[in-house]
Amino acid sequence: MRQWRSIAKEAMDRASIIVKFLCLLHVTDAYVVSSNHVLGPSMLPTLNITGDVVLVEHLSHRIGKLGSGDLVLVRSPLDPNKTLTKRIVAMEGDKVTFSLDPTRSFSSRSLVVPKGHVWIQGDNLYVSRDSRHFGPLPYGLIEGKVFMRVWPPNSFGLLG
Amino acid sequence: MGEWSSRVIPIVRGLCLLYVTHKYLGTTVVTYGPSMLPTLGITGNVLLMERISTRTGKLRPGDVVFFRSPENPRRVVCKRLVGMEGDQVTYVVDPKNSDKCNTIVVPKGHVWVEGDNIYNTKDSRNFGAVPYGLVEGKAFWTLLPRRDFGSLAPKPK
């Protein structure tokens, strides 16, 4: 009986160390910096089509220090289980001019980004589905700012 | 040093547990404002919110939900869920001035929310369908005031 007790106690001690570590990992992941695998053609040439691992920081959007030109990770307004990586082109109150079909340069539209929203576009305008298709993005859907690429190793470095 | 850390560590563990519960299970919320009369009072209610239904996709029209405002990302708003994606919603555009109705289909990945007090509320009729990613949780129990203790009332007819 005493043997089981001491085994159980040792198991609990080891498990609690693991739980504490996972807690710390989770808090860092959600509030400081996390890594993310992004793939797809919509951010060429900035990000590769075959997939990059990038570091995303979760501080700037909470203190309101995002601006146009920043690469951001956002939750998709069309599918809440997916995240997208795009570039902020305009903040709230800015006027944005865009064309749905970049091959025809004379078909452009303008609008003012409403309060509490941002306008995001992929760098590769020909294949990106972004604010030109689903409208301005509510600021609350922004999850973090992409600031660095760590894989593949030959393109290691700061982004943006 | 040892004595100080032996006092702080249980507090840190407690805060950790509180944080995980708050983020993944649920929390208490204080609401105020006239937009959900008669279900919720003007002077304020204390409600229990759970986050499990949102994460598992088990929200239904008729639920009272909390979501981050599309107009002000620092505010959390409480309204009733009226339509899920793909539903057809008919709503009165401006009930104070006219009886004109509008019908829309809720776009993919969005929900349609309306306050119970349609005469004094800013909801999806003003800012459009809300992306599902902004929904934080579902209210399932009223703690205060005492006379409303219990589950929330369904949408008034």
Side-chain angles (χ1 to χ4, degrees):
Chain A
M1 191 59 209
R2 288 171 64 101
Q3 235 179 354
W4 287 117
R5 259 207 205 166
S6 70
I7 290 175
K9 182 171 177 350
E10 199 181 316
M12 281 288 290
D13 283 342
R14 294 206 181 162
S16 81
I17 293 177
I18 294 176
V19 166
K20 276 183 226 167
F21 173 70
L22 287 177
C23 234
L24 187 68
L25 198 69
H26 167 78
V27 169
T28 313
D29 209 61
Y31 292 96
V32 181
V33 69
S34 68
S35 60
N36 219 281
H37 183 225
V38 297
L39 41 70
S42 66
M43 286 296 292
L44 286 169
T46 314
L47 299 176
N48 298 323
I49 192 172
T50 43
D52 290 341
V53 176
V54 296
L55 292 183
V56 180
E57 55 100 340
H58 300 276
L59 299 163
S60 299
H61 75 104
R62 291 181 197 277
I63 52 177
K65 286 236 177 298
L66 287 181
S68 356
D70 287 342
L71 283 170
V72 287
L73 188 77
V74 306
R75 195 147 287 279
S76 164
L78 300 173
D79 183 354
N81 297 320
K82 284 208 175 76
T83 52
L84 311 171
T85 312
K86 301 276 181 269
R87 196 181 291 270
I88 294 182
V89 166
M91 303 293 290
E92 70 181 7
D94 294 345
K95 187 159 161 206
V96 62
T97 307
F98 63 98
S99 72
L100 275 171
D101 187 3
T103 55
R104 301 208 308 261
S105 59
F106 43 82
S107 67
S108 70
R109 296 177 45 198
S110 278
L111 53 81
V112 175
V113 180
K115 187 169 171 325
H117 291 68
V118 296
W119 191 268
I120 57 170
Q121 282 180 198
D123 285 351
N124 185 2
L125 293 173
Y126 300 92
V127 294
S128 165
R129 286 183 58 83
D130 46 39
S131 285
R132 296 170 300 155
H133 304 93
F134 51 68
L137 184 90
Y139 195 96
L141 289 177
I142 297 179
E143 307 223 320
K145 172 175 157 187
V146 175
F147 69 99
M148 189 164 177
R149 170 167 43 200
V150 295
W151 191 270
N154 58 5
S155 25
F156 184 98
L158 294 171
L159 281 172
Chain B
M1 178 67 192
E3 197 191 293
W4 179 84
S5 70
S6 71
R7 289 205 189 147
V8 164
I9 286 181
I11 296 176
V12 169
R13 273 191 225 154
L15 288 176
C16 233
L17 190 66
L18 202 67
Y19 164 76
V20 169
T21 313
H22 170 92
K23 210 64 192 349
Y24 292 99
L25 293 180
T27 182
T28 47
V29 184
V30 179
T31 62
Y32 59 92
S35 64
M36 284 293 288
L37 286 168
T39 313
L40 303 177
I42 282 189
T43 46
N45 288 50
V46 177
L47 304 175
L48 287 180
M49 169 180 94
E50 53 98 353
R51 296 190 196 260
I52 299 177
S53 301
T54 24
R55 284 183 191 272
T56 55
K58 291 223 183 309
L59 289 181
R60 293 286 166 268
D63 290 344
V64 175
V65 294
F66 296 90
F67 57 94
R68 209 153 272 285
S69 162
E71 295 178 330
N72 183 355
R74 295 185 200 279
R75 269 188 43 186
V76 177
V77 178
C78 177
K79 298 280 178 274
R80 197 176 290 270
L81 192 72
V82 166
M84 302 293 291
E85 69 181 10
D87 291 349
Q88 203 173 35
V89 171
T90 307
Y91 61 97
V92 184
V93 178
D94 192 4
K96 280 197 257 204
N97 297 336
S98 74
D99 272 336
K100 187 164 99 75
C101 279
N102 216 352
T103 307
I104 49 106
V105 174
V106 181
K108 189 170 171 325
H110 289 66
V111 294
W112 189 268
V113 293
E114 283 182 19
D116 285 350
N117 180 10
I118 53 171
Y119 298 96
N120 195 355
T121 174
K122 277 168 68 77
D123 51 31
S124 285
R125 295 171 300 150
N126 304 87
F127 46 68
V130 175
Y132 194 90
L134 290 177
V135 177
E136 302 255 324
K138 166 183 155 187
F140 68 100
W141 201 260
T142 309
L143 292 176
L144 291 175
R146 289 291 200 86
R147 63 170 187 275
D148 291 336
F149 188 89
S151 45
L152 283 98
K155 187 177 165 84
K157 295 267 177 267

